[in-house]
């Protein structure tokens, strides 16, 4: 299961559609605080995280997740509109495994997500 963490409903819907077409189960959270609660209750096998969100941003969420033994090793993809070199470095320092800039082509997202989550890719041509 992948946990999509983004405050924009349209982005969550796009990512959900992409990952479900690739054969993954998906849960959603609107911010890092909600994501941390959901992940602790039922750890996913992948985090797909935006950076800028209310209540708890994506980098704070990743740092908190990496501090939790049950969540520390779960792969994380940052998908954001931020593009500065410091944003990339900050994402990796917070615990991201991959940094992608929006917009992301569905086949690219599906391929990376399936590889990091250890889920065979289905129904997507990537």
């Amino acid at each position: 299961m992948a946990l999509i963490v983004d405050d924009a409903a349209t982005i969550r819907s796009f990512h959900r559609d992409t990952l479900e077409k690739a054969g993954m189960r998906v849960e959603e959270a609107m911010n890092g605080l909600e994501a941390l609660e959901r992940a602790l209750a039922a750890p996913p096998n992948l985090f797909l995280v935006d950076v800028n969100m209310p209540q708890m941003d994506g980098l704070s969420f990743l740092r908190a997740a990496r501090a939790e033994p049950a969540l520390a090793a779960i792969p994380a993809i940052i998908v954001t509109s931020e593009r500065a070199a410091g944003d990339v470095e900050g994402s990796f320092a917070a615990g991201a495994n991959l940094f992608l800039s929006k917009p992301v082509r569905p086949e690219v997202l599906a391929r990376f997500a399936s590889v990091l989550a250890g889920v065979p890719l289905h129904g997507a041509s990537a």
Side-chain angles (χ1 to χ4, degrees):
M1 180 213 18
L3 179 58
I4 298 169
V5 189
D6 199 304
D7 59 324
T10 55
I11 298 296
R12 288 194 315 273
S13 178
F14 170 76
H15 290 163
R16 172 182 282 279
D17 185 54
T18 298
L19 297 182
E20 286 179 342
K21 284 181 180 174
M24 297 180 76
R25 290 185 317 108
V26 176
E27 291 291 328
E28 298 179 17
M30 295 181 358
N31 59 60
L33 186 59
E34 180 183 352
L36 191 57
E37 291 171 0
R38 287 180 181 266
L40 287 168
N45 56 355
L46 177 70
F47 295 122
L48 192 63
V49 185
D50 184 26
V51 172
N52 296 314
M53 293 179 289
Q55 293 185 321
M56 180 187 277
D57 66 45
L59 300 185
S60 296
F61 162 73
L62 279 181
R63 285 189 289 274
R66 295 305 183 224
E68 292 289 338
L71 308 178
I74 296 170
I77 302 174
I78 291 287
V79 183
T80 183
S81 56
E82 305 299 323
R83 291 187 173 96
D87 297 319
V88 175
E89 292 167 359
S91 295
F92 287 121
N97 298 89
L98 181 65
F99 181 96
L100 298 174
S101 293
K102 292 177 186 175
V104 177
R105 292 189 350 245
E107 64 274 12
V108 171
L109 180 59
R111 173 69 67 192
F112 281 126
S114 67
V115 168
L116 286 175
V119 176
L121 187 63
H122 299 291
S125 58

